[in-house]
Amino acid sequence: MGVTGDEIGPARSRERFLLGEPVASGVRSPILNSWLRCQSLGLSPDQTELPYRDDFDPDSRLVRAATPVLDQLASRFTGSQMNVSLADGNGTVLQRRFGDAALAHDLPPIQSVPGFVFAERFAGTNGIGLALAERRLVQVYGAEHFAERSQSNACSATPIRDQLSGHVVGVLCFGYPHGYEDPALPALVRRAAGTIERRLMEQHSERERALLRTYLDASHLTRTGSAAGNGHLIGLDELGDSGLDRSDQMILKEKATELISSTQRAAVEVALPHGRGVTLMSSPLVSRSGVQGVVVEAVLSGDAAPVHHLSLLPRTGPPSGPPPGPLAAPAVPAAAGHTRGKVRGLVLVGEPEVGKYAVAARRRLELLAEASTRIGTTLDVTRTAWELAEMAVPRLADYVTIDVPEAVLRGEESADPRTELHRTVVHGIREDCPFYPVGQRVELRAGTPHMRCLDSGQAVLEADLRHAVGWIEQEPEHARQIFAHNVHSLVSVPLLARGVLLGVASFYRSEDPAPFGDDDSWLAQELAARAALCIDNARRYTHEHTLALALQQSLLPHGVPDQGAVEVAHRYVPAESGVGGDWFDVIPLSGTRVAMLVGDVVGHGLHAAATMGRLRTAARNFAELELAPDELLTHLDNLLVRLDREEGGENDSGSTGIVGATCLYAVYDPTTRQCTMARAGHPPPALVHPGGVVTFPDLPAGPPLGLGGLPFETAEIQLPEGSTLVLYTDGLVEDRHRDIDVALDQLSRVLSHPDRTPEDTCQAVIDAIAPDHPADDIALLVARTRTVPADRIATWEVPADPALVSGIRAAATRQLADWGLEELAFAAELMLSELVTNAVRYGTEPIQVRLVRDRNLICEVADGSSTAPHLRRAATTEEGGRGLFLVAQLAHAWGTRYTTHGKVIWAECALDAA
């Protein structure tokens, strides 16, 4: 901050600004924005002329309310250099008070005489003009003033509002030398302005009380017979058994307020609940002091009932305290007994302007109540922004634009939301909105209302857009197009939630000739605050959804493994409202077999995706152990039970734990066309026969995974050659809008085209069966089975006689020669010799040798023993123990699998090694 002589404030920054140099730091945002507006208006710092008006009302309501307060302030500051000013809503000074009376003679007229206009567009940056522009308490020090004549002074100024309408009707400003600065001054000027506002409210009440007295006098004349033809007049609380309960009275009061605001004589039928009807009549009324108002009475036909108290206010006569709006009149005393004919009861007396404000206030509350149910119906950032715009048009604004950083649309926080705004919503009363279209990047310059809103984090109201020069200068041609649509007023509101800036919402008015006021700005802020919280919730959800989806995709298979048992295609469709734990997998097994599985973890989000990854990894590991389907599901069940106990144990009541999962596991052997399956609470697969017939095999259902201790059962099915097996999760067929049987029938019809490839089948199923907006994940696996031809399989039964091993080696060598694999004969002979010898020595009958020519050459030796050999390192002094080591060196892969009748030891040789 620079100081020059008696000047205070950012003098050097101001000099740099006037020279066109950047002054991003060192100057408060409201001051810098004001300087930019002044510069855009072509104001000169050395200009001294201000407009002068001699037509202002020196006895206006504002002056009458403020005069006692100004006198008290003058007394308080006696002998000081304090200058207290009262200006109207246009910036015209109406009254001045001086702590030292000599100041009125020593200061130039522009600083001492009422009538000069200090609006910012004429006087530059100053207390009165800036308080009107910012619509809040402001302080301006020395060089912060744009005009050089004010450089030696400081000031504190705050708006004065009409509490009924919320409109700014004036400004109270303290001017003083910088040496008189006191931290208590802002609080003092705020309290003084509050006192003036309360006195303005009291004026409203006095006028309404005068109207009520006039009405009561007229009612007395009617009761005494001076007026005739109006029927019997009583208070509303004396309608007795007429059935007007509290809710009926509220309906009548609301309608009466609308009649008062219309300022015209009218008779309106009001339909009450239970079929009751009441006529409301409004009539003009003028008090003795000349106040013009409206009286509203309820008129009922029929007998006047006995007296019961159903009053809108107690029967106490005119109120002594200030009412908040249209005056709810006390009851008029009535004659005792019953009277036939029309019965009239007083409802409200008030001034039209007050009634208009009351109606507007009620409509604002209704709009906010409706917004609480209509904004945030989805967890989608763009849709939530649209709901805000749809709520505001046309009940608050004629056009709404909403700009959100692209990072927020992706579910992230924006590093600099001011520079990456993306036009997300344009909505208005007409289709040809004159604003930037949706999808366009929005760049804002300093000084525009939108940028001021983003910089300050507060709403910015521009009652007259034609004076928003910073906005006009940004793109004059675009501004002219907007003005051509009669757009004249703007409220820009930041979308702030939990301290995060999410964008800016701009409300424009064109059809309504009245500009936006502070009450409109408040309403826009309330709507934007609710929308911002919903947008932030949607952003956070989008962020978590994106993370969960990325995790889910990273944990799912990225391709189909190399195997020849089935031709496979797959699809994964994430849920619209949250990523779940669906998965699928294809796992090659020994002996040309293949394992296929689909599963579904209960729940959504990161936890479900992470649990899915753990289950899929465990399932692959268990599959590598060559476990039968029921055994594999048992191991997965036990794993989930342990995980659930660890993550949601008895001592952690705040953890939800893992609820469970479903799974279907199938193993297909192309050499026998046998498919062994087991399921844990999962939908059964669909089997498409070569002729197009679709069936759903009747598999034992089994309990879901995670319950623990319950058995699973397997089923074996002989698959016809060229058949197709379809595995899926429940998200494909279960939907709250349709019955599952209907979905399965649809699935059958779609699958009954055996000529389709698995890839085409996948797409056809998703297009026809999957919901448009899936509530659950969908995993789909389509596998067309293949068969290993019989001429590629050779099998020999081996008696338990070591002398016969050589014959097996010779038979295997001949078979390899027939297949053209002579180069693999040496390795195959050695492996078979070791494996068969082990089976003869340590196994039990029956012993069987099988060679399979597939992608690799597979050598298998089966026996009836369940004892498996183990690879070990033999010592140099040992004669045996090297057989399996030799097999492991010669084979591409080897292992053991167990069967219901024993075990199979297998070894594979790569064909490219031949």
Side-chain angles (χ1 to χ4, degrees):
M1 303 279 283
V3 179
T4 305
D6 291 334
E7 297 180 356
I8 59 173
R12 295 174 186 155
S13 295
R14 179 175 176 275
E15 291 174 3
R16 291 198 300 270
F17 173 80
L18 294 175
L19 292 174
E21 299 177 5
V23 287
S25 61
V27 181
R28 292 182 292 135
S29 176
I31 300 298
L32 180 57
N33 289 330
S34 179
W35 287 356
L36 291 169
R37 293 194 295 270
C38 295
Q39 189 179 61
S40 300
L41 288 165
L43 297 180
S44 173
D46 57 0
Q47 71 179 56
T48 58
E49 296 297 325
L50 289 181
Y52 178 78
R53 298 183 56 185
D54 57 5
D55 59 345
F56 66 90
D57 185 0
D59 192 36
S60 65
R61 291 178 58 242
L62 175 61
V63 172
R64 291 200 304 274
T67 295
V69 179
L70 296 177
D71 292 342
Q72 291 179 9
L73 289 173
S75 175
R76 178 181 182 129
F77 294 125
T78 298
S80 71
Q81 300 294 303
M82 182 68 70
N83 176 2
V84 180
S85 303
L86 174 72
D88 64 15
N90 297 316
T92 303
V93 175
L94 306 177
Q95 291 274 306
R96 286 189 181 274
R97 297 289 189 277
F98 300 96
D100 184 352
L103 287 174
H105 304 289
D106 298 340
L107 292 173
I110 198 172
Q111 294 179 324
S112 60
V113 177
F116 286 96
V117 182
F118 280 81
E120 188 184 68
R121 64 180 183 275
F122 302 122
T125 307
N126 70 93
I128 294 174
L130 192 57
L132 289 173
E134 294 289 326
R135 311 182 80 81
R136 58 188 174 93
L137 187 144
V138 298
Q139 292 178 283
V140 184
Y141 305 96
E144 289 183 334
H145 289 88
F146 190 78
E148 293 178 356
R149 63 172 177 272
S150 303
Q151 299 282 306
S152 60
N153 296 322
C155 62
S156 297
T158 191
I160 299 171
R161 288 178 169 83
D162 186 323
Q163 292 183 356
L164 281 176
S165 67
H167 294 163
V168 173
V169 295
V171 175
L172 182 65
C173 180
F174 291 178
Y176 43 87
H178 66 84
Y180 200 79
E181 173 66 24
D182 190 315
L185 284 178
L188 179 60
V189 70
R190 187 181 284 113
R191 287 199 305 270
T195 303
I196 296 174
E197 291 175 352
R198 286 193 297 273
R199 289 179 58 82
L200 282 171
M201 273 297 298
E202 291 172 0
Q203 291 183 17
H204 281 294
S205 302
E206 290 173 0
R207 296 160 69 90
E208 287 190 330
R209 282 196 293 270
L211 288 170
L212 179 59
R213 282 192 294 269
T214 300
Y215 173 77
L216 292 177
D217 291 343
S219 300
H220 177 71
L221 292 176
T222 301
R223 291 196 308 275
T224 58
S226 299
N230 291 326
H232 181 57
L233 176 64
I234 66 173
L236 187 60
D237 63 343
E238 295 180 287
L239 293 179
D241 293 333
S242 60
L244 294 183
D245 57 20
R246 182 176 298 274
S247 62
D248 296 333
Q249 296 175 29
M250 292 303 299
I251 293 173
L252 293 177
K253 285 180 65 176
E254 289 184 7
K255 192 62 182 178
T257 307
E258 295 179 6
L259 288 175
I260 290 175
S261 68
S262 68
T263 72
Q264 297 179 354
R265 177 185 292 271
V268 178
E269 290 289 334
V270 179
L272 298 176
H274 316 299
R276 185 67 185 274
V278 176
T279 301
L280 289 184
M281 295 185 62
S282 66
S283 304
L285 186 70
V286 180
S287 73
R288 295 175 181 177
S289 60
V291 177
Q292 296 182 352
V294 177
V295 60
V296 179
E297 297 171 318
V299 180
L300 294 85
S301 298
D303 293 340
V307 173
H308 291 277
H309 293 285
L310 294 170
S311 59
L312 295 180
L313 285 182
R315 296 163 50 88
T316 57
S320 58
L327 192 61
V332 181
H338 298 262
T339 304
R340 298 187 61 83
K342 292 183 178 179
V343 179
R344 294 164 50 204
L346 174 62
V347 180
L348 285 180
V349 172
E351 289 186 84
E353 285 299 305
V354 178
K356 180 181 70 176
Y357 298 146
V359 170
R362 189 178 75 248
R363 288 173 178 169
R364 288 195 294 271
L365 291 175
E366 291 172 351
L367 181 60
L368 284 177
E370 187 177 347
S372 65
T373 60
R374 290 185 53 189
I375 296 178
T377 59
T378 67
L379 288 172
D380 180 80
V381 173
T382 302
R383 180 59 207 156
T384 304
W386 270 103
E387 288 169 345
L388 168 60
E390 290 167 349
M391 280 300 306
V393 176
R395 296 160 70 176
L396 172 64
D398 297 313
Y399 296 98
V400 173
T401 64
I402 299 177
D403 304 321
V404 176
E406 293 182 86
V408 173
L409 297 176
R410 297 192 302 267
E412 305 167 4
E413 289 188 20
S414 174
D416 188 359
R418 298 164 183 80
T419 60
E420 57 173 30
L421 288 174
H422 180 87
R423 177 58 50 87
T424 306
V425 172
V426 177
H427 184 54
I429 57 175
R430 293 171 51 179
E431 292 294 333
D432 57 336
C433 294
F435 301 98
Y436 296 132
V438 170
Q440 182 167 330
R441 189 181 181 89
V442 179
E443 297 182 2
L444 300 174
R445 285 174 48 184
T448 61
H450 311 77
M451 184 58 80
R452 287 159 49 203
C453 164
L454 292 171
D455 287 338
S456 65
Q458 298 177 343
V460 172
L461 169 62
E462 289 287 355
D464 189 349
L465 267 178
R466 289 173 175 79
H467 294 150
V469 288
W471 174 72
I472 296 174
E473 277 197 347
Q474 172 160 321
E475 196 169 338
E477 181 58 35
H478 184 61
R480 280 193 289 273
Q481 293 176 8
I482 293 177
F483 289 144
H485 284 71
N486 298 319
V487 176
H488 58 80
S489 189
L490 161 70
V491 177
S492 284
V493 184
L495 297 174
L496 277 168
R498 303 181 180 98
V500 178
L501 184 59
L502 303 170
V504 59
S506 300
F507 303 82
Y508 298 87
R509 184 168 283 177
S510 63
E511 296 297 314
D512 189 342
F516 285 121
D518 282 346
D519 50 352
D520 300 308
S521 176
W522 171 83
L523 178 58
Q525 291 177 68
E526 287 294 315
L527 290 175
R530 298 182 185 211
L533 189 60
C534 295
I535 288 175
D536 191 51
N537 289 339
R539 178 191 66 81
R540 289 165 177 254
Y541 165 78
T542 301
H543 181 66
E544 181 175 337
H545 179 78
T546 302
L547 288 178
L549 183 59
L551 177 62
Q552 178 87 329
Q553 296 286 6
S554 68
L555 295 175
L556 288 172
H558 295 285
V560 178
D562 186 21
Q563 49 80 39
V566 290
E567 180 187 356
V568 177
H570 55 81
R571 290 289 187 278
Y572 171 74
V573 180
E576 187 177 71
S577 59
V579 176
D582 290 19
W583 89 95
F584 63 90
D585 211 344
V586 178
I587 307 169
L589 301 177
S590 64
T592 71
R593 297 170 309 131
V594 65
M596 297 169 287
L597 76 161
V598 291
D600 181 4
V601 175
V602 175
H604 293 83
L606 287 171
H607 187 264
T611 303
M612 177 276 293
R614 300 167 83 171
L615 279 180
R616 177 175 175 249
T617 301
R620 291 188 69 89
N621 292 335
F622 293 146
E624 293 288 342
L625 295 176
E626 303 281 1
L627 297 179
D630 57 339
E631 295 179 35
L632 182 138
L633 292 181
T634 299
H635 282 284
L636 290 181
D637 182 46
N638 293 335
L639 172 64
L640 267 186
V641 170
R642 289 196 302 273
L643 292 177
D644 197 23
R645 188 180 301 118
E646 293 170 3
E647 298 188 11
E650 296 179 358
N651 296 326
D652 186 9
S653 59
S655 174
T656 58
I658 300 171
V659 178
T662 66
C663 184
L664 170 64
Y665 185 73
V667 177
Y668 173 66
D669 187 345
T671 64
T672 62
R673 292 187 282 108
Q674 194 80 13
C675 186
T676 306
M677 293 181 279
R679 61 186 179 119
H682 202 84
L687 177 59
V688 184
H689 294 260
V693 176
V694 180
T695 61
F696 294 90
D698 186 16
L699 304 182
L705 300 176
L707 298 181
L710 298 176
F712 300 94
E713 299 181 58
T714 61
E716 293 186 352
I717 302 174
Q718 192 78 17
L719 299 184
E721 185 174 353
S723 58
T724 300
L725 198 62
V726 180
L727 286 68
Y728 53 89
T729 56
D730 57 4
L732 180 67
V733 295
E734 292 186 6
D735 184 50
R736 61 186 179 187
H737 300 296
R738 64 180 175 183
D739 187 85
I740 187 172
D741 292 331
V742 174
L744 291 175
D745 288 341
Q746 291 178 318
L747 180 60
S748 296
R749 288 193 296 271
V750 175
L751 293 177
S752 60
H753 296 275
D755 54 328
R756 288 186 182 139
T757 65
E759 187 67 31
D760 292 340
T761 301
C762 265
Q763 192 60 48
V765 168
I766 293 298
D767 292 343
I769 310 299
D772 294 333
H773 305 283
D776 195 7
D777 289 18
I778 298 173
L780 175 65
L781 189 66
V782 177
R784 176 169 292 172
T785 61
R786 293 170 177 161
T787 304
V788 177
D791 59 359
R792 293 195 173 193
I793 304 173
T795 306
W796 299 276
E797 300 293 334
V798 182
D801 184 355
L804 301 177
V805 173
S806 60
I808 295 297
R809 290 200 304 266
T813 301
R814 291 192 296 271
Q815 183 63 61
L816 291 177
D818 293 341
W819 289 340
L821 300 177
E822 293 88 348
E823 296 184 15
L824 291 178
F826 177 73
E829 275 190 82
L830 287 179
M831 290 189 297
L832 284 176
S833 178
E834 292 296 333
L835 295 178
V836 174
T837 300
N838 279 341
V840 170
R841 288 183 178 179
Y842 308 110
T844 60
E845 295 184 298
I847 301 173
Q848 185 186 73
V849 175
R850 187 173 75 158
L851 291 181
V852 180
R853 180 187 176 186
D854 192 51
R855 281 176 161 75
N856 296 317
L857 175 64
I858 302 170
C859 304
E860 295 181 345
V861 176
D863 69 81
S865 171
S866 58
T867 302
H870 296 281
L871 179 66
R872 65 186 182 88
R873 183 178 296 276
T876 56
T877 58
E878 293 180 295
E879 296 183 0
R882 296 178 179 82
L884 281 183
F885 180 78
L886 180 62
V887 170
Q889 297 301 310
L890 294 174
H892 174 69
W894 76 280
T896 303
R897 69 174 180 269
Y898 295 91
T899 68
T900 56
H901 305 293
K903 67 175 181 297
V904 175
I905 303 177
W906 56 271
E908 294 184 3
C909 291
L911 293 183
D912 55 11

